[in-house]
Amino acid sequence: MQGDNSKFFSVADLLSLNLPGYPDTRQGWNERVKREGWEFREVKGLGGPGGIRKEYKPPADVLVLIYAHQPTAAAHSVREPAAEYKPVPPEGFVLVPRYDVQGSMGNGSVIHSEQIVDHLAFRAEWVRTALGASPEHLVLISAIGDSMEPTLRAGDLLLIDRSVTGVKHDSIYAFAVGDELRVKRVQRLYDGTLIVKSDNLGYASETLTPDQAATVNIVGRVVWTGRRM
């Protein structure tokens, strides 16, 4: 299989990232990628039978977590050591990474790149008090489409709280279905059904059964938006 080298990881690579909430053993990772059916490719190298090993392409929500947890993975193969990049924020501010990722507000958009393109500074006190969030859980992406107008518009910057991994309140969430990253208002019913809504009345709501909802990976909740006037 062909693809961007920065998007494929061996089991050893995945283990070395120490992702919170994910396996901490090789066996655990092998079982997870097999159970979830991750896309893979076979490459020459040590670590596999006959000098061939498998490298896996994580789903969209896991890629975002990888790059939020270890930004250098976006620009360098994790099989090679890379200098750790830690920009220094101004005093009293925190820096939030902005990714070259677009969350579709229409019919879904394939993620083209998860690479960090820059950082934006936010006042630390505002993040803690107004958002009630931890800076290390925040990422920025861009919005495309018109289904969430007038609340959100194409080109808006969306601040996503990655600590929110499930639908608990009727809020706007970024979520991944396969390779599509979408931004919609989501409501969870008591039986596990998800109602996916658009603020633009020209778009119909979607109802996902509990089985369908199980395939949805919540990337995070939209907690702030900024736009150019």
Side-chain angles (χ1 to χ4, degrees):
M1 297 185 182
Q2 301 298 319
D4 182 349
N5 287 338
S6 68
K7 295 182 182 179
F8 284 85
F9 302 81
S10 69
V11 166
D13 294 334
L14 293 166
L15 181 61
S16 71
L17 292 171
N18 296 315
L19 297 179
Y22 284 82
D24 57 0
T25 64
R26 284 176 179 265
Q27 181 179 353
W29 271 112
N30 279 319
E31 292 174 352
R32 179 147 191 160
V33 298
K34 182 178 180 180
R35 182 174 66 250
E36 296 181 357
W38 287 20
E39 178 184 348
F40 69 90
R41 66 182 182 182
E42 294 183 340
V43 299
K44 294 182 179 180
L46 299 177
I52 302 295
R53 70 175 180 185
K54 290 183 178 179
E55 294 182 341
Y56 298 88
K57 181 180 180 181
D61 61 312
V62 182
L63 276 172
V64 172
L65 176 60
I66 287 172
Y67 297 144
H69 187 65
Q70 183 171 324
T72 53
H76 303 275
S77 168
V78 296
R79 293 187 299 275
E80 299 177 0
E84 188 174 5
Y85 175 54
K86 290 185 177 180
V88 179
E91 185 176 356
F93 286 78
V94 295
L95 293 179
V96 176
R98 180 171 71 88
Y99 290 83
D100 186 17
V101 173
Q102 294 180 322
S104 174
M105 301 182 301
N107 296 321
S109 174
V110 175
I111 296 177
H112 296 291
S113 171
E114 292 76 20
Q115 190 171 5
I116 292 176
V117 291
D118 58 23
H119 293 76
L120 272 67
F122 293 85
R123 287 192 177 276
E125 183 64 20
W126 179 81
V127 169
R128 289 191 297 267
T129 58
L131 299 183
S134 297
E136 63 268 22
H137 294 145
L138 298 178
V139 297
L140 286 159
I141 66 172
S142 298
I144 59 174
D146 64 354
S147 73
M148 288 301 292
E149 290 188 354
T151 308
L152 303 176
R153 299 176 185 172
D156 284 357
L157 275 179
L158 308 180
L159 188 61
I160 310 296
D161 184 354
R162 289 277 297 141
S163 70
V164 180
T165 58
V167 177
K168 296 182 179 179
H169 307 286
D170 184 1
S171 299
I172 299 175
Y173 295 87
F175 59 93
V177 181
D179 284 333
E180 294 183 346
L181 182 65
R182 307 181 70 186
V183 176
K184 294 280 191 176
R185 195 176 297 278
V186 184
Q187 179 183 12
R188 183 180 185 276
L189 305 184
Y190 288 110
D191 64 355
T193 297
L194 293 183
I195 309 298
V196 181
K197 303 177 182 179
S198 300
D199 285 3
N200 185 335
L201 298 181
Y203 289 79
S205 297
E206 302 174 65
T207 300
L208 304 181
T209 66
D211 287 342
Q212 292 172 323
T215 67
V216 174
N217 295 307
I218 301 298
V219 173
R221 184 168 64 89
V222 178
V223 294
W224 175 88
T225 181
R227 68 176 52 139
R228 178 180 299 175
M229 300 300 293

PDB file of all heavy atoms in Angstrom, residues 18-51:
ATOM      1  N   ASN A  18       3.600   6.091  23.682  1.00  0.00           N
ATOM      2  CA  ASN A  18       2.996   6.126  25.016  1.00  0.00           C
ATOM      3  C   ASN A  18       1.701   6.941  25.030  1.00  0.00           C
ATOM      4  O   ASN A  18       1.488   7.819  25.874  1.00  0.00           O
ATOM      5  CB  ASN A  18       3.984   6.724  26.039  1.00  0.00           C
ATOM      6  CG  ASN A  18       5.222   5.863  26.202  1.00  0.00           C
ATOM      7  OD1 ASN A  18       5.136   4.649  26.319  1.00  0.00           O
ATOM      8  ND2 ASN A  18       6.386   6.501  26.192  1.00  0.00           N
ATOM      9  N   LEU A  19       0.814   6.643  24.088  1.00  0.00           N
ATOM     10  CA  LEU A  19      -0.445   7.385  23.987  1.00  0.00           C
ATOM     11  C   LEU A  19      -1.350   7.059  25.176  1.00  0.00           C
ATOM     12  O   LEU A  19      -1.568   5.888  25.496  1.00  0.00           O
ATOM     13  CB  LEU A  19      -1.167   7.028  22.687  1.00  0.00           C
ATOM     14  CG  LEU A  19      -0.453   7.389  21.386  1.00  0.00           C
ATOM     15  CD1 LEU A  19      -1.288   6.946  20.193  1.00  0.00           C
ATOM     16  CD2 LEU A  19      -0.158   8.877  21.320  1.00  0.00           C
ATOM     17  N   PRO A  20      -1.902   8.092  25.836  1.00  0.00           N
ATOM     18  CA  PRO A  20      -2.789   7.843  26.977  1.00  0.00           C
ATOM     19  C   PRO A  20      -4.057   7.110  26.553  1.00  0.00           C
ATOM     20  O   PRO A  20      -4.691   7.460  25.561  1.00  0.00           O
ATOM     21  CB  PRO A  20      -3.113   9.265  27.482  1.00  0.00           C
ATOM     22  CG  PRO A  20      -2.855  10.160  26.315  1.00  0.00           C
ATOM     23  CD  PRO A  20      -1.733   9.531  25.559  1.00  0.00           C
ATOM     24  N   GLY A  21      -4.381   6.038  27.296  1.00  0.00           N
ATOM     25  CA  GLY A  21      -5.582   5.281  27.001  1.00  0.00           C
ATOM     26  C   GLY A  21      -5.403   4.197  25.957  1.00  0.00           C
ATOM     27  O   GLY A  21      -6.371   3.528  25.595  1.00  0.00           O
ATOM     28  N   TYR A  22      -4.168   4.023  25.469  1.00  0.00           N
ATOM     29  CA  TYR A  22      -3.906   3.020  24.442  1.00  0.00           C
ATOM     30  C   TYR A  22      -2.952   1.960  24.994  1.00  0.00           C
ATOM     31  O   TYR A  22      -2.344   2.142  26.052  1.00  0.00           O
ATOM     32  CB  TYR A  22      -3.345   3.688  23.185  1.00  0.00           C
ATOM     33  CG  TYR A  22      -4.429   4.398  22.399  1.00  0.00           C
ATOM     34  CD1 TYR A  22      -4.842   5.678  22.761  1.00  0.00           C
ATOM     35  CD2 TYR A  22      -5.076   3.772  21.336  1.00  0.00           C
ATOM     36  CE1 TYR A  22      -5.864   6.325  22.069  1.00  0.00           C
ATOM     37  CE2 TYR A  22      -6.086   4.408  20.642  1.00  0.00           C
ATOM     38  CZ  TYR A  22      -6.481   5.681  21.006  1.00  0.00           C
ATOM     39  OH  TYR A  22      -7.497   6.308  20.332  1.00  0.00           O
ATOM     40  N   PRO A  23      -2.811   0.800  24.301  1.00  0.00           N
ATOM     41  CA  PRO A  23      -2.014  -0.309  24.850  1.00  0.00           C
ATOM     42  C   PRO A  23      -0.587   0.091  25.210  1.00  0.00           C
ATOM     43  O   PRO A  23       0.011   0.962  24.576  1.00  0.00           O
ATOM     44  CB  PRO A  23      -2.033  -1.336  23.710  1.00  0.00           C
ATOM     45  CG  PRO A  23      -3.294  -1.041  22.958  1.00  0.00           C
ATOM     46  CD  PRO A  23      -3.443   0.444  23.011  1.00  0.00           C
ATOM     47  N   ASP A  24      -0.060  -0.586  26.236  1.00  0.00           N
ATOM     48  CA  ASP A  24       1.322  -0.347  26.661  1.00  0.00           C
ATOM     49  C   ASP A  24       2.197  -1.580  26.444  1.00  0.00           C
ATOM     50  O   ASP A  24       3.261  -1.706  27.035  1.00  0.00           O
ATOM     51  CB  ASP A  24       1.367   0.102  28.124  1.00  0.00           C
ATOM     52  CG  ASP A  24       0.723  -0.903  29.062  1.00  0.00           C
ATOM     53  OD1 ASP A  24       0.242  -1.950  28.592  1.00  0.00           O
ATOM     54  OD2 ASP A  24       0.691  -0.633  30.287  1.00  0.00           O
ATOM     55  N   THR A  25       1.712  -2.502  25.587  1.00  0.00           N
ATOM     56  CA  THR A  25       2.502  -3.675  25.225  1.00  0.00           C
ATOM     57  C   THR A  25       2.368  -3.916  23.724  1.00  0.00           C
ATOM     58  O   THR A  25       1.403  -3.494  23.086  1.00  0.00           O
ATOM     59  CB  THR A  25       2.027  -4.944  25.962  1.00  0.00           C
ATOM     60  OG1 THR A  25       0.682  -5.261  25.548  1.00  0.00           O
ATOM     61  CG2 THR A  25       2.061  -4.736  27.478  1.00  0.00           C
ATOM     62  N   ARG A  26       3.350  -4.622  23.157  1.00  0.00           N
ATOM     63  CA  ARG A  26       3.278  -4.969  21.737  1.00  0.00           C
ATOM     64  C   ARG A  26       2.050  -5.835  21.449  1.00  0.00           C
ATOM     65  O   ARG A  26       1.361  -5.650  20.439  1.00  0.00           O
ATOM     66  CB  ARG A  26       4.550  -5.721  21.315  1.00  0.00           C
ATOM     67  CG  ARG A  26       5.788  -4.846  21.141  1.00  0.00           C
ATOM     68  CD  ARG A  26       6.985  -5.700  20.815  1.00  0.00           C
ATOM     69  NE  ARG A  26       8.191  -4.918  20.606  1.00  0.00           N
ATOM     70  CZ  ARG A  26       8.627  -4.519  19.416  1.00  0.00           C
ATOM     71  NH1 ARG A  26       7.955  -4.844  18.337  1.00  0.00           N
ATOM     72  NH2 ARG A  26       9.729  -3.809  19.307  1.00  0.00           N
ATOM     73  N   GLN A  27       1.805  -6.803  22.334  1.00  0.00           N
ATOM     74  CA  GLN A  27       0.659  -7.686  22.132  1.00  0.00           C
ATOM     75  C   GLN A  27      -0.640  -6.896  22.116  1.00  0.00           C
ATOM     76  O   GLN A  27      -1.525  -7.143  21.287  1.00  0.00           O
ATOM     77  CB  GLN A  27       0.608  -8.744  23.238  1.00  0.00           C
ATOM     78  CG  GLN A  27      -0.557  -9.717  23.083  1.00  0.00           C
ATOM     79  CD  GLN A  27      -0.584 -10.772  24.177  1.00  0.00           C
ATOM     80  OE1 GLN A  27       0.341 -10.870  24.981  1.00  0.00           O
ATOM     81  NE2 GLN A  27      -1.640 -11.569  24.213  1.00  0.00           N
ATOM     82  N   GLY A  28      -0.735  -5.917  23.031  1.00  0.00           N
ATOM     83  CA  GLY A  28      -1.938  -5.102  23.086  1.00  0.00           C
ATOM     84  C   GLY A  28      -2.166  -4.330  21.794  1.00  0.00           C
ATOM     85  O   GLY A  28      -3.289  -4.256  21.281  1.00  0.00           O
ATOM     86  N   TRP A  29      -1.083  -3.752  21.243  1.00  0.00           N
ATOM     87  CA  TRP A  29      -1.206  -3.008  19.985  1.00  0.00           C
ATOM     88  C   TRP A  29      -1.534  -3.947  18.828  1.00  0.00           C
ATOM     89  O   TRP A  29      -2.369  -3.619  17.967  1.00  0.00           O
ATOM     90  CB  TRP A  29       0.076  -2.241  19.692  1.00  0.00           C
ATOM     91  CG  TRP A  29       0.086  -0.869  20.280  1.00  0.00           C
ATOM     92  CD1 TRP A  29       0.860  -0.391  21.295  1.00  0.00           C
ATOM     93  CD2 TRP A  29      -0.731   0.242  19.863  1.00  0.00           C
ATOM     94  NE1 TRP A  29       0.572   0.928  21.549  1.00  0.00           N
ATOM     95  CE2 TRP A  29      -0.392   1.347  20.691  1.00  0.00           C
ATOM     96  CE3 TRP A  29      -1.716   0.404  18.897  1.00  0.00           C
ATOM     97  CZ2 TRP A  29      -1.007   2.596  20.562  1.00  0.00           C
ATOM     98  CZ3 TRP A  29      -2.341   1.651  18.763  1.00  0.00           C
ATOM     99  CH2 TRP A  29      -1.982   2.720  19.586  1.00  0.00           C
ATOM    100  N   ASN A  30      -0.882  -5.119  18.775  1.00  0.00           N
ATOM    101  CA  ASN A  30      -1.178  -6.078  17.705  1.00  0.00           C
ATOM    102  C   ASN A  30      -2.647  -6.475  17.710  1.00  0.00           C
ATOM    103  O   ASN A  30      -3.295  -6.563  16.664  1.00  0.00           O
ATOM    104  CB  ASN A  30      -0.302  -7.322  17.860  1.00  0.00           C
ATOM    105  CG  ASN A  30       1.102  -7.128  17.301  1.00  0.00           C
ATOM    106  OD1 ASN A  30       1.275  -6.539  16.241  1.00  0.00           O
ATOM    107  ND2 ASN A  30       2.098  -7.618  18.019  1.00  0.00           N
ATOM    108  N   GLU A  31      -3.187  -6.693  18.909  1.00  0.00           N
ATOM    109  CA  GLU A  31      -4.591  -7.079  19.018  1.00  0.00           C
ATOM    110  C   GLU A  31      -5.507  -5.931  18.611  1.00  0.00           C
ATOM    111  O   GLU A  31      -6.536  -6.141  17.957  1.00  0.00           O
ATOM    112  CB  GLU A  31      -4.899  -7.521  20.455  1.00  0.00           C
ATOM    113  CG  GLU A  31      -4.204  -8.828  20.841  1.00  0.00           C
ATOM    114  CD  GLU A  31      -4.410  -9.179  22.304  1.00  0.00           C
ATOM    115  OE1 GLU A  31      -4.960  -8.324  23.052  1.00  0.00           O
ATOM    116  OE2 GLU A  31      -4.026 -10.292  22.703  1.00  0.00           O
ATOM    117  N   ARG A  32      -5.122  -4.701  18.978  1.00  0.00           N
ATOM    118  CA  ARG A  32      -5.980  -3.543  18.688  1.00  0.00           C
ATOM    119  C   ARG A  32      -6.062  -3.264  17.188  1.00  0.00           C
ATOM    120  O   ARG A  32      -7.144  -3.067  16.643  1.00  0.00           O
ATOM    121  CB  ARG A  32      -5.484  -2.306  19.427  1.00  0.00           C
ATOM    122  CG  ARG A  32      -6.325  -1.070  19.143  1.00  0.00           C
ATOM    123  CD  ARG A  32      -6.393  -0.172  20.324  1.00  0.00           C
ATOM    124  NE  ARG A  32      -7.395   0.869  20.147  1.00  0.00           N
ATOM    125  CZ  ARG A  32      -7.932   1.556  21.127  1.00  0.00           C
ATOM    126  NH1 ARG A  32      -7.594   1.300  22.374  1.00  0.00           N
ATOM    127  NH2 ARG A  32      -8.827   2.496  20.892  1.00  0.00           N
ATOM    128  N   VAL A  33      -4.892  -3.198  16.506  1.00  0.00           N
ATOM    129  CA  VAL A  33      -4.915  -2.883  15.073  1.00  0.00           C
ATOM    130  C   VAL A  33      -5.632  -3.976  14.280  1.00  0.00           C
ATOM    131  O   VAL A  33      -6.297  -3.686  13.273  1.00  0.00           O
ATOM    132  CB  VAL A  33      -3.488  -2.638  14.533  1.00  0.00           C
ATOM    133  CG1 VAL A  33      -2.847  -1.455  15.230  1.00  0.00           C
ATOM    134  CG2 VAL A  33      -2.609  -3.881  14.684  1.00  0.00           C
ATOM    135  N   LYS A  34      -5.515  -5.217  14.742  1.00  0.00           N
ATOM    136  CA  LYS A  34      -6.206  -6.312  14.066  1.00  0.00           C
ATOM    137  C   LYS A  34      -7.707  -6.226  14.315  1.00  0.00           C
ATOM    138  O   LYS A  34      -8.512  -6.363  13.382  1.00  0.00           O
ATOM    139  CB  LYS A  34      -5.660  -7.661  14.558  1.00  0.00           C
ATOM    140  CG  LYS A  34      -6.292  -8.855  13.857  1.00  0.00           C
ATOM    141  CD  LYS A  34      -5.678 -10.164  14.350  1.00  0.00           C
ATOM    142  CE  LYS A  34      -6.310 -11.357  13.635  1.00  0.00           C
ATOM    143  NZ  LYS A  34      -5.709 -12.648  14.106  1.00  0.00           N
ATOM    144  N   ARG A  35      -8.089  -5.972  15.555  1.00  0.00           N
ATOM    145  CA  ARG A  35      -9.514  -5.885  15.911  1.00  0.00           C
ATOM    146  C   ARG A  35     -10.219  -4.748  15.180  1.00  0.00           C
ATOM    147  O   ARG A  35     -11.362  -4.887  14.729  1.00  0.00           O
ATOM    148  CB  ARG A  35      -9.658  -5.707  17.423  1.00  0.00           C
ATOM    149  CG  ARG A  35     -11.104  -5.648  17.908  1.00  0.00           C
ATOM    150  CD  ARG A  35     -11.185  -5.607  19.418  1.00  0.00           C
ATOM    151  NE  ARG A  35     -10.635  -4.374  19.974  1.00  0.00           N
ATOM    152  CZ  ARG A  35      -9.507  -4.298  20.657  1.00  0.00           C
ATOM    153  NH1 ARG A  35      -8.787  -5.380  20.872  1.00  0.00           N
ATOM    154  NH2 ARG A  35      -9.069  -3.141  21.127  1.00  0.00           N
ATOM    155  N   GLU A  36      -9.523  -3.600  15.054  1.00  0.00           N
ATOM    156  CA  GLU A  36     -10.134  -2.426  14.439  1.00  0.00           C
ATOM    157  C   GLU A  36      -9.892  -2.357  12.925  1.00  0.00           C
ATOM    158  O   GLU A  36     -10.421  -1.463  12.261  1.00  0.00           O
ATOM    159  CB  GLU A  36      -9.605  -1.159  15.106  1.00  0.00           C
ATOM    160  CG  GLU A  36      -9.994  -1.070  16.566  1.00  0.00           C
ATOM    161  CD  GLU A  36      -9.494   0.205  17.241  1.00  0.00           C
ATOM    162  OE1 GLU A  36      -8.800   0.988  16.570  1.00  0.00           O
ATOM    163  OE2 GLU A  36      -9.798   0.403  18.431  1.00  0.00           O
ATOM    164  N   GLY A  37      -9.133  -3.303  12.386  1.00  0.00           N
ATOM    165  CA  GLY A  37      -8.946  -3.380  10.944  1.00  0.00           C
ATOM    166  C   GLY A  37      -8.198  -2.213  10.335  1.00  0.00           C
ATOM    167  O   GLY A  37      -8.576  -1.700   9.278  1.00  0.00           O
ATOM    168  N   TRP A  38      -7.109  -1.770  11.006  1.00  0.00           N
ATOM    169  CA  TRP A  38      -6.335  -0.632  10.493  1.00  0.00           C
ATOM    170  C   TRP A  38      -5.716  -0.961   9.137  1.00  0.00           C
ATOM    171  O   TRP A  38      -5.256  -2.089   8.900  1.00  0.00           O
ATOM    172  CB  TRP A  38      -5.221  -0.271  11.466  1.00  0.00           C
ATOM    173  CG  TRP A  38      -5.683   0.415  12.717  1.00  0.00           C
ATOM    174  CD1 TRP A  38      -6.949   0.403  13.241  1.00  0.00           C
ATOM    175  CD2 TRP A  38      -4.882   1.176  13.620  1.00  0.00           C
ATOM    176  NE1 TRP A  38      -6.983   1.132  14.407  1.00  0.00           N
ATOM    177  CE2 TRP A  38      -5.736   1.618  14.664  1.00  0.00           C
ATOM    178  CE3 TRP A  38      -3.544   1.533  13.646  1.00  0.00           C
ATOM    179  CZ2 TRP A  38      -5.281   2.393  15.716  1.00  0.00           C
ATOM    180  CZ3 TRP A  38      -3.075   2.309  14.697  1.00  0.00           C
ATOM    181  CH2 TRP A  38      -3.936   2.731  15.719  1.00  0.00           C
ATOM    182  N   GLU A  39      -5.703   0.018   8.244  1.00  0.00           N
ATOM    183  CA  GLU A  39      -5.011  -0.114   6.969  1.00  0.00           C
ATOM    184  C   GLU A  39      -3.520  -0.344   7.236  1.00  0.00           C
ATOM    185  O   GLU A  39      -2.950   0.242   8.151  1.00  0.00           O
ATOM    186  CB  GLU A  39      -5.199   1.162   6.141  1.00  0.00           C
ATOM    187  CG  GLU A  39      -4.464   1.153   4.810  1.00  0.00           C
ATOM    188  CD  GLU A  39      -4.599   2.486   4.081  1.00  0.00           C
ATOM    189  OE1 GLU A  39      -5.436   3.311   4.499  1.00  0.00           O
ATOM    190  OE2 GLU A  39      -3.846   2.694   3.108  1.00  0.00           O
ATOM    191  N   PHE A  40      -2.898  -1.200   6.428  1.00  0.00           N
ATOM    192  CA  PHE A  40      -1.479  -1.462   6.643  1.00  0.00           C
ATOM    193  C   PHE A  40      -0.749  -1.621   5.310  1.00  0.00           C
ATOM    194  O   PHE A  40      -1.363  -1.748   4.250  1.00  0.00           O
ATOM    195  CB  PHE A  40      -1.263  -2.715   7.502  1.00  0.00           C
ATOM    196  CG  PHE A  40      -1.647  -3.999   6.807  1.00  0.00           C
ATOM    197  CD1 PHE A  40      -0.724  -4.718   6.056  1.00  0.00           C
ATOM    198  CD2 PHE A  40      -2.946  -4.488   6.905  1.00  0.00           C
ATOM    199  CE1 PHE A  40      -1.078  -5.894   5.420  1.00  0.00           C
ATOM    200  CE2 PHE A  40      -3.310  -5.663   6.255  1.00  0.00           C
ATOM    201  CZ  PHE A  40      -2.372  -6.362   5.518  1.00  0.00           C
ATOM    202  N   ARG A  41       0.575  -1.564   5.392  1.00  0.00           N
ATOM    203  CA  ARG A  41       1.418  -1.846   4.246  1.00  0.00           C
ATOM    204  C   ARG A  41       2.563  -2.730   4.727  1.00  0.00           C
ATOM    205  O   ARG A  41       2.880  -2.767   5.915  1.00  0.00           O
ATOM    206  CB  ARG A  41       1.968  -0.555   3.633  1.00  0.00           C
ATOM    207  CG  ARG A  41       2.924   0.197   4.551  1.00  0.00           C
ATOM    208  CD  ARG A  41       3.402   1.485   3.910  1.00  0.00           C
ATOM    209  NE  ARG A  41       4.354   2.181   4.787  1.00  0.00           N
ATOM    210  CZ  ARG A  41       4.897   3.357   4.488  1.00  0.00           C
ATOM    211  NH1 ARG A  41       4.592   3.967   3.363  1.00  0.00           N
ATOM    212  NH2 ARG A  41       5.747   3.928   5.337  1.00  0.00           N
ATOM    213  N   GLU A  42       3.185  -3.441   3.799  1.00  0.00           N
ATOM    214  CA  GLU A  42       4.328  -4.286   4.128  1.00  0.00           C
ATOM    215  C   GLU A  42       5.596  -3.647   3.570  1.00  0.00           C
ATOM    216  O   GLU A  42       5.628  -3.244   2.395  1.00  0.00           O
ATOM    217  CB  GLU A  42       4.134  -5.687   3.562  1.00  0.00           C
ATOM    218  CG  GLU A  42       2.971  -6.424   4.216  1.00  0.00           C
ATOM    219  CD  GLU A  42       2.822  -7.844   3.712  1.00  0.00           C
ATOM    220  OE1 GLU A  42       3.347  -8.129   2.606  1.00  0.00           O
ATOM    221  OE2 GLU A  42       2.185  -8.654   4.391  1.00  0.00           O
ATOM    222  N   VAL A  43       6.604  -3.536   4.418  1.00  0.00           N
ATOM    223  CA  VAL A  43       7.861  -2.904   4.014  1.00  0.00           C
ATOM    224  C   VAL A  43       9.023  -3.803   4.406  1.00  0.00           C
ATOM    225  O   VAL A  43       8.917  -4.633   5.310  1.00  0.00           O
ATOM    226  CB  VAL A  43       8.032  -1.521   4.674  1.00  0.00           C
ATOM    227  CG1 VAL A  43       6.918  -0.579   4.257  1.00  0.00           C
ATOM    228  CG2 VAL A  43       8.072  -1.646   6.196  1.00  0.00           C
ATOM    229  N   LYS A  44      10.150  -3.609   3.723  1.00  0.00           N
ATOM    230  CA  LYS A  44      11.352  -4.350   4.062  1.00  0.00           C
ATOM    231  C   LYS A  44      11.960  -3.787   5.342  1.00  0.00           C
ATOM    232  O   LYS A  44      12.023  -2.568   5.516  1.00  0.00           O
ATOM    233  CB  LYS A  44      12.366  -4.273   2.934  1.00  0.00           C
ATOM    234  CG  LYS A  44      11.927  -4.975   1.661  1.00  0.00           C
ATOM    235  CD  LYS A  44      13.007  -4.894   0.588  1.00  0.00           C
ATOM    236  CE  LYS A  44      12.577  -5.622  -0.673  1.00  0.00           C
ATOM    237  NZ  LYS A  44      13.609  -5.554  -1.733  1.00  0.00           N
ATOM    238  N   GLY A  45      12.385  -4.656   6.213  1.00  0.00           N
ATOM    239  CA  GLY A  45      13.011  -4.190   7.436  1.00  0.00           C
ATOM    240  C   GLY A  45      12.969  -5.250   8.505  1.00  0.00           C
ATOM    241  O   GLY A  45      12.267  -6.260   8.386  1.00  0.00           O
ATOM    242  N   LEU A  46      13.722  -5.024   9.556  1.00  0.00           N
ATOM    243  CA  LEU A  46      13.757  -5.970  10.659  1.00  0.00           C
ATOM    244  C   LEU A  46      12.438  -5.929  11.407  1.00  0.00           C
ATOM    245  O   LEU A  46      11.730  -4.936  11.406  1.00  0.00           O
ATOM    246  CB  LEU A  46      14.903  -5.623  11.604  1.00  0.00           C
ATOM    247  CG  LEU A  46      16.306  -5.672  10.994  1.00  0.00           C
ATOM    248  CD1 LEU A  46      17.330  -5.224  12.037  1.00  0.00           C
ATOM    249  CD2 LEU A  46      16.631  -7.059  10.478  1.00  0.00           C
ATOM    250  N   GLY A  47      12.136  -7.024  12.079  1.00  0.00           N
ATOM    251  CA  GLY A  47      10.957  -7.032  12.919  1.00  0.00           C
ATOM    252  C   GLY A  47       9.817  -7.851  12.359  1.00  0.00           C
ATOM    253  O   GLY A  47       8.766  -7.946  12.967  1.00  0.00           O
ATOM    254  N   GLY A  48       9.995  -8.462  11.192  1.00  0.00           N
ATOM    255  CA  GLY A  48       8.939  -9.270  10.610  1.00  0.00           C
ATOM    256  C   GLY A  48       9.501 -10.519   9.961  1.00  0.00           C
ATOM    257  O   GLY A  48      10.689 -10.590   9.641  1.00  0.00           O
ATOM    258  N   PRO A  49       8.664 -11.520   9.706  1.00  0.00           N
ATOM    259  CA  PRO A  49       9.123 -12.752   9.063  1.00  0.00           C
ATOM    260  C   PRO A  49       9.705 -12.460   7.689  1.00  0.00           C
ATOM    261  O   PRO A  49       9.137 -11.708   6.897  1.00  0.00           O
ATOM    262  CB  PRO A  49       7.825 -13.583   8.960  1.00  0.00           C
ATOM    263  CG  PRO A  49       6.925 -13.021  10.015  1.00  0.00           C
ATOM    264  CD  PRO A  49       7.249 -11.553  10.065  1.00  0.00           C
ATOM    265  N   GLY A  50      10.877 -13.069   7.406  1.00  0.00           N
ATOM    266  CA  GLY A  50      11.503 -12.899   6.107  1.00  0.00           C
ATOM    267  C   GLY A  50      11.961 -11.485   5.821  1.00  0.00           C
ATOM    268  O   GLY A  50      12.132 -11.109   4.655  1.00  0.00           O
ATOM    269  N   GLY A  51      12.182 -10.694   6.860  1.00  0.00           N
ATOM    270  CA  GLY A  51      12.631  -9.329   6.649  1.00  0.00           C
ATOM    271  C   GLY A  51      11.541  -8.380   6.193  1.00  0.00           C
ATOM    272  O   GLY A  51      11.820  -7.296   5.698  1.00  0.00           O
TER     273      GLY A  51
END
